[in-house]
Amino acid sequence: MKTLRQRIFGPAALSFPTWAYLLFFFIIPVALVIWYSFGYKPDQFTTYATDQLSFDRYAEAADPTFLSTFVATLRISVVGTLLCLVIAVPFAYWLAVKVPARRRGLMLALVLVPFWTNFLVRTLGWQVILSPEGFVSHFMQFAGMIDGPLAVLYTRTAVQIGVVYNYLPLMILPLFVAMDRAGVSLREASNDLGAGRWRTLFQVTLPMAAPGIASGCLLVYIPLMGDYITASVLGGAQGSMVGQLVAAQFNAAQNWALGAAMAVVLMLLILATVAIVGAVVLVLQRIIRAGRRVEIVPVNATTAPVNATTAPVNATTVGEQP
């Protein structure tokens, strides 16, 4: 049996930085947020108090005014994740299958170029592009596509465009890795067995890339739900998201208990959505596998000798023909 000294200074100590990181930067902060969410704001000059715990702050967070923002955030996140997936799948397939291996590094670097600049600067760039006085507005008016200045900025549409642009590389990278690992040999084997390009894509490449699709959706959906900068820069009053509500309660209203309750509701909403989608995917996988299952019919032991004896007879019969 290992002693305490062996447990602390043994090989298990190598994982100490990971546990320490999770403890001090995730478990303790989340526990404090949950603890504050049961408190209240005692007076105008105090941010929170926890001497009387209750669920009243959660009832306030479920107010129809705040609830509409939660619903809008969920809609923006789901639509943004699906748009990123639709755009990333053909691009990752082209990058993994069509682009020569010597040029893939350059293409991946181009995908990562937006990450070389600050998140806020990139979002401000879209503010310039979507401005009523921007070049897109002038071009669309010149082409006769719109009658007046472009009225997209500070709306939910502008937020949707911004989140798709900001989170698209997080979807492309895991998809590219998954499709690249699918291997050329499997696709060539599918073609050799008579499957066309589309059938190979849907029955070989995409099923092999399923772990990458799941990873990409999680990498995009989870941070997108808590996005604060994109909604603040491009959304305005019409495109507000939950991140802005939480920040407003902590900074402007100084009501930490209500802000913590909103943050907990946001985390529960993310976990519930991921659990529901995961359950649906597992059920669909089982249905698809059940549809593809091939029943192996056992060979009748009494039939085999009869066929064996029949074969020479047939051979003899064939040999007697002129």
Side-chain angles (χ1 to χ4, degrees):
M1 184 176 180
K2 293 183 178 179
T3 62
L4 181 61
R5 179 186 179 87
Q6 290 175 332
R7 289 179 181 275
I8 295 177
F9 298 101
L14 297 175
S15 62
F16 175 75
T18 303
W19 287 109
Y21 178 83
L22 290 176
L23 180 64
F24 289 103
F25 297 103
F26 178 72
I27 296 176
I28 292 178
V30 171
L32 287 175
V33 169
I34 295 174
W35 174 253
Y36 289 164
S37 67
F38 294 108
Y40 65 99
K41 181 176 173 60
D43 53 58
Q44 184 178 0
F45 302 101
T46 307
T47 55
Y48 71 96
T50 55
D51 56 326
Q52 296 177 4
L53 304 181
S54 66
F55 288 94
D56 293 343
R57 304 293 81 74
Y58 289 96
E60 292 182 25
D63 185 83
T65 304
F66 299 142
L67 197 60
S68 62
T69 305
F70 278 94
V71 174
T73 302
L74 181 63
R75 182 165 57 248
I76 290 173
S77 302
V78 171
V79 173
T81 304
L82 293 178
L83 288 176
C84 287
L85 181 63
V86 170
I87 297 172
V89 165
F91 183 82
Y93 179 80
W94 170 77
L95 192 59
V97 177
K98 301 298 181 182
V99 175
R102 64 179 184 279
R103 295 181 181 176
R104 287 176 191 168
L106 176 62
M107 295 298 173
L108 286 174
L110 293 177
V111 172
L112 295 175
V113 163
F115 281 93
W116 297 355
T117 57
N118 185 270
F119 192 92
L120 177 60
V121 174
R122 283 184 280 141
T123 309
L124 287 173
W126 275 103
Q127 194 177 45
V128 175
I129 295 172
L130 299 178
S131 169
E133 301 299 327
F135 67 92
V136 174
S137 178
H138 289 298
F139 174 77
M140 294 181 73
Q141 292 181 68
F142 175 77
M145 301 172 66
I146 55 177
D147 297 330
L150 186 64
V152 173
L153 190 62
Y154 303 130
T155 64
R156 196 167 295 165
T157 304
V159 178
Q160 198 73 71
I161 295 172
V163 296
V164 170
Y165 167 75
N166 284 327
Y167 295 97
L168 183 59
L170 297 179
M171 182 70 79
I172 292 176
L173 294 179
L175 273 177
F176 163 74
V177 174
M179 289 186 178
D180 187 55
R181 289 182 178 177
V184 180
S185 58
L186 292 177
R187 290 190 289 270
E188 291 179 348
S190 177
N191 292 326
D192 293 341
L193 292 174
R197 292 182 178 180
W198 291 105
R199 193 171 182 180
T200 301
L201 174 65
F202 286 105
Q203 295 191 358
V204 177
T205 306
L206 289 183
M208 294 291 291
I213 295 174
S215 301
C217 291
L218 291 176
L219 287 175
V220 171
Y221 176 75
I222 293 176
L224 205 162
M225 281 287 288
D227 192 307
Y228 169 76
I229 294 177
T230 307
S232 300
V233 175
L234 301 177
Q238 299 181 14
S240 60
M241 297 178 68
V242 178
Q244 292 174 289
L245 288 181
V246 175
Q249 294 301 324
F250 275 92
N251 298 327
Q254 293 290 303
N255 191 346
W256 289 18
L258 182 56
M262 290 179 176
V264 173
V265 172
L266 178 62
M267 288 188 287
L268 293 177
L269 186 61
I270 294 172
L271 292 176
T273 308
V274 173
I276 292 173
V277 174
V280 171
V281 171
L282 288 177
V283 171
L284 291 177
Q285 282 183 343
R286 291 194 175 186
I287 293 175
I288 293 173
R289 288 176 181 175
R292 292 178 177 177
R293 184 175 298 171
V294 177
E295 298 292 340
I296 300 176
V297 179
V299 179
N300 192 349
T302 58
T303 307
V306 173
N307 293 335
T309 55
T310 306
V313 173
N314 293 337
T316 306
T317 306
V318 172
E320 289 176 353
Q321 294 179 353

